[in-house]
Amino acid sequence: MISTLKHLAYELKVDFSEIETIINNIDKYYYEKVEIKKDKSGQPKLKNGIIQKRVLNPSISRLKIIQKRIQRNILAKLEMPEYAYGAIKGKDNVSNAKKHQGKKYIFTTDLKSFFPSINHDRVFAMYRSFNFSPTVSRVLTQLTTYKGRLPQGAPTSPTVANLVFVKTGKKLKHFATENKLIFTSFIDDLTFSAPIDFKSKAQFIIEMIQADGFKISHNKTNFKTKLPIVTGVVVKNNKLDITDTFKIKLNSTEGKSPEQIKGYQLYAAKVAKSNS
């Protein structure tokens, strides 16, 4: 792996002096964007009557360009676990759901505030686990975290999150294999399934996740046997299907641009094609 700053600068196609300048002026390379959270029907999500929001910190300018190079030239070359389906080339939410088709019992849970929960220490440890030198790991951590956390909106964040979660993911995968379960992750969405009832093991799965410092979104944690939804796709015994909410969007053209309509149609076709 990369052991010197000279090698790192070569991989990123920049002078290291520019990397230092960006790190020393990091606040200039992010902006804050407040986004309203929405429920499954597309309506603003409320909690105690208050609209829920998330704060994004997209990167800009030269940092964004450098992060794209980190993603393409460094992160994309690291080995990803086979259970991971989110932000991985050739995989998507449909192929993730397909993995659980035909399983009667499905347990889904969500990692609460996943990106913000990943601090710079976890990111540094992840780079070191891939044998980057301490100095290179420190610089890569500075280039891919902001205010000590993983920023939502940076091009590197989804892959970094996947890689940081590997330590916990391996434990979950081992547990799943031992108990004849199928396990997949889609960034912060975790899914377990089996042809036999394993509800008694769901709490232990949650405790394994929490033991590694991650939090569970309890309102997104479900154990289902009838028409479960996995990463936005209805998983039936012999096929996948789009949700009723999506069908309404698909059949209504009001207020939608031709591009949006085409996007809905292409997605519905992709789900249908997964059944052929």
Side-chain angles (χ1 to χ4, degrees):
M1 286 300 164
I2 300 172
S3 58
T4 67
L5 295 178
K6 182 179 180 180
H7 185 188
L8 177 64
Y10 172 79
E11 291 290 344
L12 300 182
K13 298 178 173 57
V14 294
D15 291 329
F16 187 72
S17 59
E18 183 181 8
I19 293 176
E20 287 183 308
T21 299
I22 289 173
I23 290 173
N24 291 332
N25 299 275
I26 199 68
D27 287 336
K28 295 181 180 179
Y29 296 92
Y30 288 96
Y31 70 97
E32 186 172 290
K33 178 182 178 182
V34 179
E35 188 177 83
I36 294 175
K37 293 183 179 181
K38 295 184 178 180
D39 59 24
K40 292 179 180 179
S41 63
Q43 298 302 310
K45 187 178 290 186
L46 301 176
K47 186 176 182 180
N48 299 324
I50 300 173
I51 293 177
Q52 298 298 291
K53 300 175 181 179
R54 66 167 58 90
V55 178
L56 307 181
N57 289 113
S59 54
I60 60 172
S61 190
R62 286 292 292 172
L63 175 59
K64 185 174 183 178
I65 292 171
I66 290 171
Q67 285 176 338
K68 286 183 176 179
R69 291 174 184 171
I70 292 173
Q71 174 63 31
R72 182 177 63 249
N73 299 341
I74 298 175
L75 296 176
K77 294 179 181 179
L78 301 179
E79 183 180 359
M80 295 297 296
E82 56 88 17
Y83 64 75
Y85 280 75
I88 296 176
K89 189 175 181 180
K91 294 183 173 183
D92 57 22
N93 68 305
V94 178
S95 58
N96 178 69
K98 188 74 174 178
K99 191 75 176 175
H100 301 279
Q101 184 184 313
K103 306 298 186 293
K104 183 178 180 180
Y105 300 91
I106 294 183
F107 174 62
T108 58
T109 191
D110 181 272
L111 301 173
K112 188 176 183 180
S113 302
F114 185 39
F115 284 17
S117 74
I118 297 175
N119 62 26
H120 64 280
D121 290 331
R122 285 181 184 264
V123 175
F124 177 82
M126 179 275 290
Y127 286 120
R128 290 290 293 129
S129 73
F130 283 99
N131 295 318
F132 292 96
S133 71
T135 302
V136 169
S137 295
R138 175 180 56 80
V139 171
L140 283 173
T141 298
Q142 291 172 317
L143 289 172
T144 54
T145 59
Y146 181 54
K147 294 183 177 179
R149 305 286 171 179
L150 199 60
Q152 288 184 277
T156 45
S157 290
T159 303
V160 170
N162 273 337
L163 293 168
V164 167
F165 192 70
V166 163
K167 182 180 177 182
T168 304
K170 283 183 177 179
K171 296 177 186 177
L172 295 174
K173 174 63 178 175
H174 179 71
F175 176 81
T177 301
E178 276 195 331
N179 291 275
K180 297 181 173 57
L181 311 178
I182 298 295
F183 163 58
T184 65
S185 71
F186 192 83
I187 307 298
D188 55 357
D189 289 324
L190 310 181
T191 306
F192 299 81
S193 66
I196 57 174
D197 191 351
F198 63 98
K199 192 172 184 178
S200 61
K201 296 178 172 63
Q203 184 57 38
F204 185 72
I205 290 171
I206 290 173
E207 290 172 0
M208 287 178 67
I209 296 166
Q210 292 174 328
D212 279 357
F214 295 104
K215 295 180 180 180
I216 294 294
S217 180
H218 292 286
N219 63 336
K220 294 182 180 178
T221 299
N222 299 286
F223 191 92
K224 290 188 174 183
T225 60
K226 185 178 180 181
L227 300 180
I229 296 175
V230 176
T231 49
V233 181
V234 180
V235 179
K236 299 182 178 180
N237 186 50
N238 57 354
K239 71 172 186 175
L240 302 183
D241 198 3
I242 55 177
T243 63
D244 290 341
T245 301
F246 191 85
K247 288 176 183 177
I248 293 172
K249 292 180 180 180
L250 181 66
N251 295 325
S252 173
T253 59
E254 185 178 350
K256 296 186 181 74
S257 67
E259 290 77 16
Q260 287 175 312
I261 294 170
K262 185 177 180 180
Y264 285 132
Q265 292 172 339
L266 288 173
Y267 178 74
K270 179 167 71 172
V271 174
K273 187 178 180 181
S274 73
N275 298 314
S276 59

